[in-house]
Amino acid sequence: MRRLLRRHRAAEAEIAGEVAAAAAVATVPAEPDLQAAAFFDVDNTMMRGASIYHFARGLATRGMFTTSDLLKFAVGQAVFRLRGNENPEHIAVARETALAFVAGSKVDDVVRLGEEIYDEEMSDRIWAGTRALAQSHLDAGQRVWLVTATPVELARVIAQRLGLTGALGTVAESQNGVYTGRLVGDLLHGPAKAEAVRALARREGLDLTRCTAYSDSANDLPMLSLVGRAVAINPDSELREHAKKHSWPIRDFRTGRKATLTALPIAAGVGALAGGIAAGIALRRHYRSS
């Protein structure tokens, strides 16, 4: 009797399996669209606030950075953004200052800390609406790249965590796995972003007229104007006006909060570099004390 019962159950299980398999709906992967891609700014476009600031906060929780240093950095970013002090002279000074501190930092340490701090400080700051837009491009078979003044190592961590194709970011020179204190090229900011996108398009065979770019800042107008479709995400006042004038789509995920109050600090090109200064100082102190 028990043997018959086991056979009966086995037969029922087989039937259930066959029925379930027949009812399953397979998701057909999108055909790769090799000529189209999407480019996303990071700070206040993909993420609330400044990615490099959140990185500095993570260093602070590890005792590698003082709260006083963090406050000075935050105020500095806000001042640069609100006053619009992003002229070449300011950028050059900030760049030279940053390079004096980043020298000697280990690339592997930056990457490791970036992964840890993303999970702790950044993952819950991703705008769900922007991530959905990025996913829609992936679902259409298009590649999706982050384009940011943030150091490329941190930008790559964010891209990897979000399942994106890759990232374009500011590149610091390194030798034998240690930063030399020099940049390869310049900050990936303003017109440099457009040049990076143009170079990537040549390398990857992209048709820029079929590409889309997303940003919150008028600083990224060179990149936004380079592609066939530009979208303003959580735009500052200048970008909002430009988008309206040129009939660009506007998406605002801030639920009514003012752009300058979304998160403090709000990163711009120099603001992001200021975060690099902060991180460099912290890492340098860490190595000296170890």
Side-chain angles (χ1 to χ4, degrees), residues 104-188:
S105 300
K106 296 180 181 178
V107 177
D108 288 346
D109 286 339
V110 172
V111 173
R112 176 180 55 79
L113 288 169
E115 292 172 342
E116 293 178 5
I117 294 170
Y118 175 87
D119 295 337
E120 296 171 5
E121 300 281 345
M122 303 182 198
S123 61
D124 62 350
R125 300 178 187 274
I126 299 297
W127 294 107
T130 308
R131 185 170 188 177
L133 289 170
Q135 187 61 48
S136 71
H137 287 281
L138 294 172
D139 292 342
Q142 300 175 7
R143 286 168 286 182
V144 178
W145 298 82
L146 298 180
V147 187
T148 176
T150 293
V152 68
E153 289 82 9
L154 182 57
R156 286 172 181 159
V157 168
I158 298 170
Q160 290 168 358
R161 287 296 198 263
L162 295 176
L164 308 182
T165 306
L168 300 172
T170 297
V171 179
E173 182 185 75
S174 64
Q175 292 181 358
N176 300 319
V178 176
Y179 290 114
T180 65
R182 296 183 293 273
L183 291 183
V184 179
D186 211 334
L187 294 175
L188 199 66

Coordinates of all heavy atoms in Angstrom, one line a residue, residues 104-188:
G104 N 50.9 58.4 -3.0 CA 51.3 57.4 -2.0 C 50.1 56.5 -1.6 O 50.3 55.5 -0.9
S105 N 48.9 56.9 -1.9 CA 47.7 56.1 -1.6 C 47.7 54.9 -2.5 O 48.0 54.9 -3.7 CB 46.4 56.9 -1.8 OG 46.4 58.0 -0.9
K106 N 47.3 53.7 -1.9 CA 47.2 52.5 -2.7 C 45.9 52.4 -3.4 O 44.8 52.6 -2.8 CB 47.4 51.3 -1.7 CG 48.8 51.2 -1.1 CD 48.9 50.0 -0.1 CE 50.2 50.0 0.6 NZ 50.3 48.9 1.5
V107 N 46.0 52.1 -4.7 CA 44.8 51.9 -5.5 C 43.9 50.8 -5.0 O 42.6 51.0 -4.9 CB 45.2 51.6 -7.0 CG1 43.9 51.4 -7.8 CG2 46.0 52.7 -7.6
D108 N 44.4 49.7 -4.6 CA 43.6 48.6 -4.1 C 42.8 49.0 -2.8 O 41.7 48.6 -2.6 CB 44.5 47.4 -3.8 CG 45.0 46.7 -5.0 OD1 44.4 47.0 -6.1 OD2 45.9 45.9 -4.9
D109 N 43.5 49.8 -2.0 CA 42.8 50.3 -0.8 C 41.6 51.2 -1.1 O 40.5 51.1 -0.4 CB 43.8 51.0 0.2 CG 44.7 50.1 0.8 OD1 44.4 48.9 1.0 OD2 45.8 50.6 1.3
V110 N 41.8 52.0 -2.1 CA 40.7 52.9 -2.5 C 39.5 52.1 -3.0 O 38.4 52.4 -2.7 CB 41.2 54.0 -3.5 CG1 40.0 54.8 -4.1 CG2 42.2 54.9 -2.9
V111 N 39.8 51.1 -3.8 CA 38.8 50.3 -4.4 C 38.1 49.5 -3.3 O 36.8 49.4 -3.3 CB 39.3 49.3 -5.5 CG1 38.3 48.3 -5.9 CG2 39.9 50.1 -6.6
R112 N 38.8 48.9 -2.4 CA 38.2 48.1 -1.3 C 37.3 49.0 -0.4 O 36.2 48.6 -0.1 CB 39.3 47.5 -0.5 CG 38.8 46.7 0.8 CD 39.9 46.1 1.6 NE 40.9 47.1 1.9 CZ 40.8 47.9 3.0 NH1 39.7 47.9 3.7 NH2 41.8 48.8 3.3
L113 N 37.8 50.1 -0.1 CA 37.0 51.1 0.8 C 35.8 51.6 0.0 O 34.7 51.7 0.6 CB 37.9 52.2 1.2 CG 39.0 51.9 2.3 CD1 39.9 53.1 2.4 CD2 38.3 51.6 3.6
G114 N 36.0 51.8 -1.3 CA 34.9 52.2 -2.1 C 33.7 51.2 -2.1 O 32.6 51.5 -2.0
E115 N 34.1 49.9 -2.2 CA 33.1 48.9 -2.2 C 32.4 48.8 -0.8 O 31.1 48.7 -0.8 CB 33.7 47.5 -2.5 CG 34.2 47.4 -3.9 CD 35.1 46.2 -4.2 OE1 35.5 45.6 -3.2 OE2 35.2 45.8 -5.3
E116 N 33.1 48.9 0.2 CA 32.5 48.8 1.6 C 31.6 50.0 1.8 O 30.5 49.9 2.3 CB 33.6 48.8 2.6 CG 34.5 47.5 2.7 CD 35.6 47.6 3.7 OE1 35.6 48.6 4.5 OE2 36.4 46.7 3.8
I117 N 32.1 51.2 1.5 CA 31.4 52.4 1.8 C 30.2 52.6 0.9 O 29.2 53.1 1.3 CB 32.3 53.6 1.7 CG1 33.4 53.5 2.8 CG2 31.6 54.9 1.8 CD1 34.5 54.5 2.7
Y118 N 30.2 52.1 -0.4 CA 29.1 52.1 -1.2 C 27.9 51.3 -0.5 O 26.8 51.8 -0.4 CB 29.3 51.5 -2.6 CG 28.0 51.4 -3.4 CD1 27.6 52.5 -4.2 CD2 27.2 50.3 -3.4 CE1 26.4 52.5 -4.9 CE2 26.0 50.3 -4.1 CZ 25.6 51.4 -4.8 OH 24.4 51.4 -5.5
D119 N 28.2 50.1 0.0 CA 27.2 49.3 0.6 C 26.7 50.0 1.9 O 25.5 49.9 2.2 CB 27.8 47.9 0.9 CG 28.1 47.1 -0.3 OD1 27.6 47.4 -1.4 OD2 29.0 46.2 -0.2
E120 N 27.5 50.7 2.6 CA 27.1 51.3 3.9 C 26.5 52.6 3.7 O 25.5 53.0 4.4 CB 28.3 51.4 4.8 CG 29.0 50.1 5.2 CD 30.3 50.3 5.9 OE1 30.6 51.5 6.2 OE2 31.0 49.3 6.2
E121 N 27.0 53.5 2.8 CA 26.6 54.9 2.8 C 25.9 55.3 1.5 O 25.2 56.3 1.5 CB 27.9 55.8 2.9 CG 28.7 55.6 4.1 CD 28.1 56.3 5.3 OE1 27.2 57.2 5.1 OE2 28.5 56.0 6.5
M122 N 26.0 54.6 0.4 CA 25.5 55.1 -0.9 C 24.3 54.3 -1.4 O 23.5 54.9 -2.2 CB 26.6 55.1 -1.9 CG 27.9 55.9 -1.5 SD 29.1 55.9 -2.8 CE 30.6 56.4 -1.9
S123 N 24.3 53.0 -1.2 CA 23.3 52.2 -1.9 C 21.9 52.6 -1.7 O 21.0 52.6 -2.6 CB 23.4 50.7 -1.4 OG 23.2 50.6 0.0
D124 N 21.6 53.2 -0.5 CA 20.2 53.6 -0.2 C 20.0 55.1 -0.7 O 18.9 55.6 -0.4 CB 19.8 53.5 1.3 CG 20.7 54.3 2.2 OD1 21.7 54.8 1.7 OD2 20.4 54.4 3.4
R125 N 21.0 55.7 -1.3 CA 20.8 57.0 -1.8 C 20.7 57.1 -3.3 O 20.6 58.2 -3.9 CB 22.1 57.9 -1.4 CG 22.3 57.9 0.1 CD 23.5 58.7 0.5 NE 23.8 58.6 1.9 CZ 23.2 59.4 2.8 NH1 22.4 60.4 2.4 NH2 23.5 59.3 4.1
I126 N 20.6 55.9 -3.9 CA 20.3 55.9 -5.4 C 18.9 56.3 -5.7 O 17.9 55.8 -5.0 CB 20.6 54.5 -5.9 CG1 22.1 54.1 -5.7 CG2 20.2 54.4 -7.4 CD1 23.1 54.9 -6.4
W127 N 18.7 57.2 -6.6 CA 17.3 57.6 -7.0 C 16.7 56.4 -7.7 O 17.2 56.0 -8.8 CB 17.3 58.8 -7.9 CG 17.8 60.1 -7.3 CD1 19.0 60.7 -7.5 CD2 17.1 60.9 -6.4 NE1 19.1 61.9 -6.8 CE2 18.0 62.0 -6.1 CE3 15.9 60.8 -5.7 CZ2 17.6 63.0 -5.2 CZ3 15.5 61.8 -4.9 CH2 16.4 62.9 -4.6
A128 N 15.6 55.9 -7.2 CA 14.9 54.8 -7.8 C 14.5 55.1 -9.2 O 14.5 54.3 -10.1 CB 13.7 54.3 -6.9
G129 N 14.0 56.3 -9.4 CA 13.5 56.7 -10.7 C 14.6 56.8 -11.7 O 14.5 56.3 -12.9
T130 N 15.8 57.2 -11.4 CA 16.9 57.3 -12.3 C 17.5 55.9 -12.6 O 17.8 55.5 -13.7 CB 18.1 58.1 -11.7 OG1 17.6 59.4 -11.3 CG2 19.2 58.4 -12.8
R131 N 17.5 55.1 -11.5 CA 17.9 53.7 -11.8 C 17.0 53.0 -12.7 O 17.4 52.2 -13.6 CB 18.0 52.9 -10.4 CG 18.6 51.5 -10.6 CD 18.9 50.9 -9.3 NE 19.6 49.6 -9.4 CZ 20.1 48.9 -8.4 NH1 19.9 49.3 -7.2 NH2 20.7 47.8 -8.7
A132 N 15.7 53.2 -12.6 CA 14.7 52.6 -13.5 C 15.0 53.1 -14.9 O 14.8 52.3 -15.9 CB 13.3 53.0 -13.1
L133 N 15.3 54.3 -15.1 CA 15.7 54.8 -16.5 C 16.9 54.1 -17.0 O 16.9 53.7 -18.2 CB 15.9 56.3 -16.4 CG 14.7 57.2 -16.2 CD1 15.2 58.7 -15.9 CD2 13.8 57.2 -17.4
A134 N 17.9 53.9 -16.2 CA 19.1 53.2 -16.6 C 18.7 51.7 -17.0 O 19.2 51.2 -18.0 CB 20.2 53.2 -15.5
Q135 N 17.9 51.1 -16.2 CA 17.5 49.7 -16.5 C 16.7 49.6 -17.8 O 16.8 48.6 -18.5 CB 16.6 49.2 -15.3 CG 16.3 47.7 -15.4 CD 17.6 46.9 -15.4 OE1 18.5 47.0 -14.6 NE2 17.7 45.9 -16.4
S136 N 15.9 50.7 -18.1 CA 15.2 50.6 -19.3 C 16.1 50.6 -20.5 O 15.8 49.9 -21.6 CB 14.2 51.8 -19.4 OG 14.9 53.0 -19.6
H137 N 17.2 51.2 -20.4 CA 18.2 51.2 -21.5 C 18.8 49.8 -21.6 O 19.0 49.3 -22.7 CB 19.3 52.3 -21.3 CG 18.8 53.7 -21.6 ND1 18.7 54.2 -22.9 CD2 18.4 54.6 -20.8 CE1 18.2 55.4 -22.8 NE2 18.0 55.7 -21.5
L138 N 19.2 49.3 -20.5 CA 19.7 47.9 -20.5 C 18.7 46.9 -21.0 O 19.1 46.0 -21.8 CB 20.1 47.5 -19.0 CG 21.2 48.3 -18.4 CD1 21.4 47.9 -16.9 CD2 22.6 48.1 -19.1
D139 N 17.5 47.1 -20.7 CA 16.4 46.1 -21.2 C 16.3 46.3 -22.7 O 15.8 45.3 -23.3 CB 15.1 46.4 -20.5 CG 15.1 46.1 -19.0 OD1 16.0 45.3 -18.6 OD2 14.2 46.6 -18.3
A140 N 16.6 47.4 -23.2 CA 16.5 47.6 -24.7 C 17.8 47.2 -25.4 O 17.9 47.4 -26.6 CB 16.3 49.1 -24.9
G141 N 18.7 46.6 -24.6 CA 19.9 46.1 -25.2 C 21.0 47.1 -25.4 O 22.0 46.9 -26.1
Q142 N 20.8 48.3 -24.7 CA 21.8 49.3 -24.8 C 22.8 49.3 -23.7 O 22.4 48.9 -22.6 CB 21.1 50.7 -24.9 CG 20.2 50.8 -26.1 CD 19.4 52.1 -26.1 OE1 19.7 53.0 -25.2 NE2 18.5 52.3 -27.0
R143 N 24.0 49.8 -23.9 CA 25.0 49.9 -22.8 C 24.7 51.2 -22.0 O 24.2 52.2 -22.6 CB 26.4 49.9 -23.4 CG 26.8 48.5 -23.8 CD 28.0 48.5 -24.7 NE 27.8 49.0 -26.0 CZ 28.7 49.1 -27.0 NH1 30.0 48.7 -26.7 NH2 28.4 49.5 -28.2
V144 N 25.1 51.2 -20.7 CA 24.8 52.3 -19.9 C 26.1 52.6 -19.1 O 26.7 51.8 -18.5 CB 23.7 52.0 -18.9 CG1 23.5 53.2 -17.9 CG2 22.4 51.7 -19.6
W145 N 26.5 53.9 -19.3 CA 27.8 54.3 -18.7 C 27.6 55.5 -17.7 O 26.8 56.4 -18.0 CB 28.8 54.8 -19.8 CG 29.2 53.8 -20.7 CD1 28.5 53.4 -21.8 CD2 30.4 53.0 -20.7 NE1 29.1 52.4 -22.5 CE2 30.3 52.1 -21.9 CE3 31.5 53.0 -19.9 CZ2 31.3 51.2 -22.1 CZ3 32.5 52.1 -20.2 CH2 32.4 51.2 -21.3
L146 N 28.3 55.5 -16.6 CA 28.3 56.6 -15.7 C 29.4 57.5 -16.2 O 30.5 57.1 -16.7 CB 28.6 56.2 -14.3 CG 27.6 55.3 -13.6 CD1 28.1 54.9 -12.2 CD2 26.2 55.9 -13.6
V147 N 29.2 58.8 -16.1 CA 30.2 59.8 -16.5 C 30.3 60.9 -15.4 O 29.3 61.6 -15.1 CB 29.8 60.5 -17.8 CG1 30.9 61.4 -18.3 CG2 29.4 59.5 -18.9
T148 N 31.4 60.9 -14.7 CA 31.5 61.7 -13.5 C 32.9 62.2 -13.2 O 33.9 61.6 -13.6 CB 31.0 60.9 -12.3 OG1 31.2 61.6 -11.1 CG2 31.8 59.6 -12.2
A149 N 33.0 63.4 -12.5 CA 34.3 63.9 -12.1 C 34.9 63.1 -10.9 O 36.0 63.2 -10.6 CB 34.2 65.3 -11.7
T150 N 34.1 62.2 -10.3 CA 34.5 61.4 -9.2 C 35.6 60.5 -9.7 O 35.6 60.0 -10.9 CB 33.3 60.5 -8.7 OG1 32.4 61.4 -8.1 CG2 33.8 59.5 -7.7
P151 N 36.6 60.1 -8.9 CA 37.7 59.2 -9.3 C 37.1 58.0 -9.9 O 36.2 57.4 -9.5 CB 38.4 58.9 -8.0 CG 38.2 60.2 -7.2 CD 36.8 60.6 -7.5
V152 N 37.8 57.5 -11.0 CA 37.2 56.4 -11.8 C 37.1 55.1 -11.0 O 36.1 54.3 -11.2 CB 38.0 56.2 -13.1 CG1 39.4 55.6 -12.7 CG2 37.3 55.3 -14.1
E153 N 37.9 54.9 -10.0 CA 37.8 53.7 -9.2 C 36.5 53.7 -8.4 O 35.9 52.6 -8.4 CB 39.0 53.6 -8.2 CG 40.4 53.3 -8.9 CD 41.0 54.6 -9.4 OE1 40.5 55.7 -9.2 OE2 42.1 54.4 -10.1
L154 N 36.1 54.8 -7.9 CA 34.9 54.8 -7.1 C 33.7 54.8 -8.1 O 32.7 54.1 -7.8 CB 34.8 56.1 -6.3 CG 33.5 56.3 -5.4 CD1 33.4 55.1 -4.5 CD2 33.6 57.6 -4.6
A155 N 33.8 55.4 -9.3 CA 32.8 55.4 -10.3 C 32.5 54.0 -10.8 O 31.4 53.6 -11.0 CB 33.1 56.3 -11.4
R156 N 33.6 53.2 -10.9 CA 33.5 51.8 -11.4 C 32.7 51.0 -10.3 O 31.9 50.1 -10.7 CB 34.8 51.2 -11.6 CG 35.5 51.7 -12.9 CD 36.9 51.2 -13.0 NE 37.6 51.6 -14.2 CZ 38.9 51.7 -14.4 NH1 39.7 51.3 -13.4 NH2 39.4 52.1 -15.5
V157 N 33.0 51.2 -9.1 CA 32.3 50.5 -8.0 C 30.8 50.7 -8.1 O 30.0 49.8 -8.0 CB 32.9 50.9 -6.6 CG1 32.0 50.4 -5.5 CG2 34.3 50.4 -6.4
I158 N 30.4 52.0 -8.2 CA 29.0 52.3 -8.3 C 28.4 51.7 -9.5 O 27.3 51.1 -9.4 CB 28.8 53.9 -8.4 CG1 29.4 54.5 -7.1 CG2 27.4 54.2 -8.6 CD1 29.5 56.0 -7.2
A159 N 29.1 51.7 -10.7 CA 28.5 51.1 -11.9 C 28.4 49.6 -11.7 O 27.3 49.0 -12.1 CB 29.5 51.4 -13.1
Q160 N 29.3 49.0 -11.1 CA 29.3 47.5 -10.9 C 28.1 47.1 -9.9 O 27.4 46.2 -10.2 CB 30.6 47.0 -10.3 CG 31.7 47.0 -11.3 CD 33.1 46.8 -10.7 OE1 33.2 46.7 -9.5 NE2 34.1 46.8 -11.5
R161 N 28.0 47.9 -8.9 CA 26.9 47.6 -7.9 C 25.5 47.8 -8.6 O 24.6 47.1 -8.2 CB 27.0 48.5 -6.7 CG 28.2 48.2 -5.8 CD 28.0 46.8 -5.1 NE 28.8 46.6 -3.9 CZ 30.0 46.0 -3.9 NH1 30.5 45.5 -5.0 NH2 30.6 45.8 -2.8
L162 N 25.4 48.7 -9.5 CA 24.1 49.0 -10.2 C 23.9 48.1 -11.4 O 22.9 48.1 -12.0 CB 24.0 50.4 -10.6 CG 24.0 51.4 -9.5 CD1 24.0 52.9 -10.0 CD2 22.8 51.2 -8.6
G163 N 24.9 47.3 -11.7 CA 24.8 46.4 -12.9 C 24.9 47.1 -14.2 O 24.3 46.6 -15.2
L164 N 25.6 48.2 -14.2 CA 25.7 49.0 -15.5 C 27.0 48.5 -16.3 O 27.7 47.7 -15.8 CB 25.8 50.5 -15.1 CG 24.7 51.0 -14.2 CD1 24.9 52.5 -14.0 CD2 23.3 50.7 -14.8
T165 N 27.1 49.1 -17.4 CA 28.2 48.6 -18.3 C 29.6 49.0 -17.8 O 30.5 48.3 -17.8 CB 28.0 49.2 -19.7 OG1 26.7 48.9 -20.2 CG2 29.0 48.7 -20.7
G166 N 29.7 50.3 -17.4 CA 31.0 50.8 -16.9 C 30.9 52.2 -16.5 O 29.8 52.8 -16.4
A167 N 32.1 52.9 -16.3 CA 32.1 54.2 -15.9 C 33.3 55.0 -16.5 O 34.4 54.5 -16.7 CB 32.2 54.3 -14.3
L168 N 33.0 56.3 -16.7 CA 34.1 57.2 -17.1 C 34.2 58.2 -15.9 O 33.2 58.7 -15.4 CB 33.6 58.0 -18.4 CG 33.4 57.2 -19.6 CD1 32.8 58.1 -20.7 CD2 34.6 56.5 -20.1
G169 N 35.5 58.3 -15.4 CA 35.7 59.2 -14.3 C 37.1 59.8 -14.4 O 37.9 59.5 -15.3
T170 N 37.4 60.6 -13.4 CA 38.7 61.3 -13.4 C 39.8 60.2 -13.1 O 39.6 59.4 -12.2 CB 38.7 62.3 -12.3 OG1 37.8 63.4 -12.6 CG2 40.1 63.0 -12.2
V171 N 40.8 60.2 -13.9 CA 41.8 59.2 -13.8 C 43.1 59.7 -13.2 O 43.7 60.7 -13.6 CB 42.2 58.6 -15.2 CG1 43.3 57.5 -15.1 CG2 40.9 58.0 -15.8
A172 N 43.5 59.1 -12.1 CA 44.8 59.5 -11.4 C 45.8 58.5 -11.8 O 45.6 57.3 -11.9 CB 44.6 59.5 -9.9
E173 N 47.0 59.0 -12.1 CA 48.1 58.1 -12.5 C 48.6 57.3 -11.3 O 48.6 57.7 -10.1 CB 49.3 59.0 -12.9 CG 50.5 58.2 -13.4 CD 51.7 59.1 -13.8 OE1 52.3 59.6 -12.8 OE2 51.9 59.3 -15.0
S174 N 48.9 56.0 -11.6 CA 49.5 55.2 -10.6 C 50.6 54.4 -11.1 O 50.7 54.1 -12.3 CB 48.4 54.2 -10.1 OG 48.0 53.3 -11.1
Q175 N 51.6 54.0 -10.3 CA 52.7 53.2 -10.6 C 52.9 52.1 -9.6 O 52.9 52.4 -8.4 CB 54.0 54.0 -10.7 CG 54.0 55.0 -11.9 CD 55.3 55.7 -12.0 OE1 56.2 55.6 -11.2 NE2 55.4 56.6 -13.0
N176 N 52.9 50.8 -10.0 CA 53.0 49.7 -9.1 C 51.9 49.7 -8.1 O 52.1 49.4 -6.9 CB 54.4 49.7 -8.4 CG 55.5 49.6 -9.4 OD1 55.4 48.8 -10.4 ND2 56.6 50.3 -9.2
G177 N 50.7 50.1 -8.5 CA 49.5 50.1 -7.6 C 49.5 51.2 -6.6 O 48.6 51.2 -5.7
V178 N 50.3 52.2 -6.8 CA 50.3 53.4 -5.9 C 50.1 54.7 -6.7 O 50.8 54.9 -7.7 CB 51.6 53.4 -5.1 CG1 51.7 54.7 -4.2 CG2 51.8 52.2 -4.2
Y179 N 49.3 55.6 -6.2 CA 49.0 56.8 -6.8 C 50.3 57.7 -6.8 O 51.0 57.8 -5.8 CB 47.9 57.6 -6.2 CG 46.5 57.0 -6.4 CD1 45.8 56.4 -5.4 CD2 46.0 56.9 -7.7 CE1 44.6 55.9 -5.6 CE2 44.8 56.3 -8.0 CZ 44.0 55.8 -6.9 OH 42.8 55.2 -7.1
T180 N 50.6 58.3 -8.0 CA 51.8 59.1 -8.1 C 51.6 60.6 -7.6 O 52.5 61.3 -7.3 CB 52.3 59.2 -9.5 OG1 51.3 59.8 -10.3 CG2 52.6 57.8 -10.0
G181 N 50.3 61.0 -7.6 CA 50.0 62.4 -7.3 C 49.8 63.2 -8.5 O 49.6 64.4 -8.4
R182 N 49.7 62.5 -9.7 CA 49.5 63.2 -10.9 C 48.2 62.7 -11.6 O 47.9 61.5 -11.4 CB 50.6 63.1 -11.9 CG 51.9 63.7 -11.4 CD 53.0 63.6 -12.5 NE 53.4 62.2 -12.7 CZ 54.3 61.6 -12.0 NH1 55.0 62.2 -11.0 NH2 54.6 60.3 -12.2
L183 N 47.5 63.5 -12.3 CA 46.3 63.1 -13.1 C 46.8 62.6 -14.5 O 47.7 63.1 -15.0 CB 45.3 64.2 -13.2 CG 44.5 64.6 -12.0 CD1 43.5 65.6 -12.3 CD2 43.9 63.4 -11.3
V184 N 46.0 61.7 -15.0 CA 46.2 61.3 -16.4 C 45.2 62.2 -17.2 O 44.0 61.9 -17.1 CB 46.0 59.8 -16.7 CG1 46.1 59.5 -18.2 CG2 46.9 59.0 -15.8
G185 N 45.6 63.2 -17.8 CA 44.7 64.1 -18.5 C 44.3 65.2 -17.4 O 45.1 65.7 -16.7
D186 N 43.0 65.4 -17.3 CA 42.5 66.4 -16.4 C 41.2 65.9 -15.7 O 40.8 64.8 -16.0 CB 42.1 67.7 -17.2 CG 42.3 69.0 -16.4 OD1 42.2 68.9 -15.1 OD2 42.6 70.0 -17.0
L187 N 40.6 66.8 -14.9 CA 39.3 66.4 -14.3 C 38.3 66.1 -15.3 O 38.2 66.8 -16.4 CB 38.8 67.6 -13.4 CG 39.7 68.0 -12.2 CD1 39.1 69.2 -11.6 CD2 39.7 66.8 -11.2
L188 N 37.5 65.1 -15.1 CA 36.4 64.8 -16.0 C 35.2 65.7 -15.6 O 34.3 65.3 -14.9 CB 36.0 63.3 -16.0 CG 35.2 62.9 -17.2 CD1 36.1 62.9 -18.4 CD2 34.7 61.5 -17.0

